Amino acid sequence: MLSQKAKYALKAMLALAAEKDGDLLQAGDIATKHNVPRKFLELILLDLRKQGLINSQRGKNGGYALAKPAEAITFGQIVRIMDGPLAPIPCASLTGYRRCEDCRDEKTCAVRRTMREVRDAAATILDGMTLAQARQGAGRKTPVL
Amino acid sequence: MLSQKAKYALKAMLALAAEKDGDLLQAGDIATKHNVPRKFLELILLDLRKQGLINSQRGKNGGYALAKPAEAITFGQIVRIMDGPLAPIPCASLTGYRRCEDCRDEKTCAVRRTMREVRDAAATILDGMTLAQARQGAGRKTPVL
DNA sequence: TTTTAACTCTACTAATTTGATGGACAATAT
DNA sequence: ATATTGTCCATCAAATTAGTAGAGTTAAAA
């Protein structure tokens, strides 16, 4: 499951991507516009900034803006920052691999093998979806399988 | 994330699928063999039985067996019983749709659209993986995307 | 028919995660 | 100076997760 945090983050990033290049958007505005609790959103934006996805400006008329072009930021990056690895199970993760405590033989584990497929599919979709594409309402041309 | 419960359930079902047709497997044996807390496993098996995936026999020499051929039981069925819908977000779910409270316009929401793709990919993989296939170590022929 | 070994069911609990909230502090434009 | 906005830290209530405990029920076997 995607957390609220990740969902809010995606919406906030899309809002920032809609802004003219260089224009700042304030936390309060995003919060109002997208029905996100304001203080909660601030934590999220702080996270995104610390990970280098957005820049912030303090003080009066401050706000946030994308740190990179919307073509260079993907859903995958955002979701991983908020919720961690995409894999349904740590032993199937590339970015956050951890062994299953209870697993007898990882090499032949059908659960792991299948969850790796799920991870790969999710990664393909999310790492392939940029903010720019999402804004244009880009659907996937080639259906998944 | 897949819960421990779902992971244990998948392993238990695979164990049952490995049994000769009609043979019973006891909770204690599965627990030992797969490093699953015994009482916890019993809850899981109870769930699976109530959902009609396995049968149980009480009393001495009791145990569990698949209620259907291993070709007719999929990872998708098992995961949904344990963890609910596959979709990362309720508004993208087929089996458990629920509107996003904070969503302004569901029709054009890029988050929803993308998470629906993720759901569809996961469903394709998990609903396509039967216990029988998993036992044979069947990998996916056509890669996802 | 008693015993034993299995599943069934309900209740409980400890730890963690999630989804926030509040307030002091720091920076910046006016 | 002052108003405004981001930063940071602490706290918190509710939900979820992962597991435990124990009494009850069933059925085979001694």
Side-chain angles (χ1 to χ4, degrees):
Chain A
M1 272 282 291
L2 200 72
S3 67
Q4 285 287 101
K5 228 171 135 170
K7 191 182 69 176
Y8 292 159
L10 289 169
K11 293 201 171 184
M13 290 298 280
L14 285 167
L16 290 174
E19 218 58 18
K20 278 200 303 290
D21 207 34
D23 277 15
L24 297 179
L25 205 50
Q26 300 186 343
D29 292 345
I30 302 175
T32 305
K33 192 147 190 194
H34 290 86
N35 287 325
V36 180
R38 193 222 161 106
K39 288 299 270 179
F40 195 34
L41 177 62
E42 287 184 0
L43 293 185
I44 292 166
L45 292 168
L46 200 54
D47 253 8
L48 292 169
R49 197 213 52 176
K50 285 181 178 169
Q51 299 302 317
L53 261 47
I54 61 179
N55 293 320
S56 66
Q57 169 110 25
R58 286 155 66 132
K60 199 158 187 175
N61 302 328
Y64 301 88
L66 296 186
K68 303 188 280 186
E71 291 78 18
I73 301 177
T74 67
F75 276 36
Q77 295 168 39
I78 299 167
V79 170
R80 285 198 189 84
I81 288 171
M82 293 326 230
D83 287 355
L86 301 181
I89 200 171
C91 69
S93 174
L94 288 190
T95 63
Y97 171 82
R98 260 186 35 235
R99 197 178 165 286
C100 261
E101 291 308 322
D102 53 271
C103 194
R104 292 271 182 230
D105 180 13
E106 195 170 79
K107 284 292 168 220
T108 65
C109 177
V111 175
R112 177 167 184 260
R113 205 181 335 112
T114 306
M115 292 308 154
R116 171 79 83 154
E117 286 186 42
V118 172
R119 185 226 86 97
D120 288 345
T124 297
I125 293 166
L126 296 177
D127 290 335
M129 178 65 64
T130 67
L131 292 177
Q133 282 175 273
R135 281 218 335 121
Q136 308 166 31
R140 178 161 299 271
K141 303 140 273 294
T142 41
V144 172
L145 192 75
Chain B
M1 273 283 290
L2 201 72
S3 66
Q4 285 287 100
K5 228 171 134 172
K7 190 182 69 177
Y8 292 157
L10 289 169
K11 294 199 170 184
M13 290 298 280
L14 285 167
L16 291 174
E19 219 57 20
K20 279 201 303 287
D21 207 35
D23 277 15
L24 296 179
L25 204 50
Q26 298 185 344
D29 292 345
I30 302 175
T32 306
K33 192 146 192 199
H34 290 85
N35 286 324
V36 179
R38 193 222 160 102
K39 289 299 271 181
F40 195 35
L41 178 61
E42 286 183 359
L43 293 185
I44 291 166
L45 292 168
L46 200 54
D47 251 8
L48 292 170
R49 196 214 51 177
K50 285 183 178 167
Q51 298 302 317
L53 260 48
I54 61 179
N55 293 321
S56 66
Q57 170 109 27
R58 283 152 73 130
K60 202 159 186 171
N61 305 327
Y64 301 88
L66 296 186
K68 303 188 280 186
E71 291 78 18
I73 300 177
T74 68
F75 276 35
Q77 294 169 38
I78 298 167
V79 170
R80 285 200 190 83
I81 287 171
M82 293 319 203
D83 288 355
L86 301 181
I89 199 172
C91 68
S93 173
L94 288 189
T95 63
Y97 172 82
R98 258 186 34 234
R99 198 178 165 286
C100 262
E101 291 307 324
D102 52 271
C103 195
R104 292 269 181 231
D105 180 12
E106 195 169 78
K107 284 293 168 218
T108 65
C109 177
V111 175
R112 177 166 183 260
R113 205 181 335 114
T114 306
M115 293 308 153
R116 172 79 84 154
E117 286 186 41
V118 173
R119 185 226 86 98
D120 288 346
T124 297
I125 294 165
L126 297 177
D127 290 335
M129 178 65 65
T130 67
L131 293 178
Q133 282 175 270
R135 283 215 336 117
Q136 309 167 29
R140 179 160 299 270
K141 303 140 273 297
T142 40
V144 170
L145 189 74

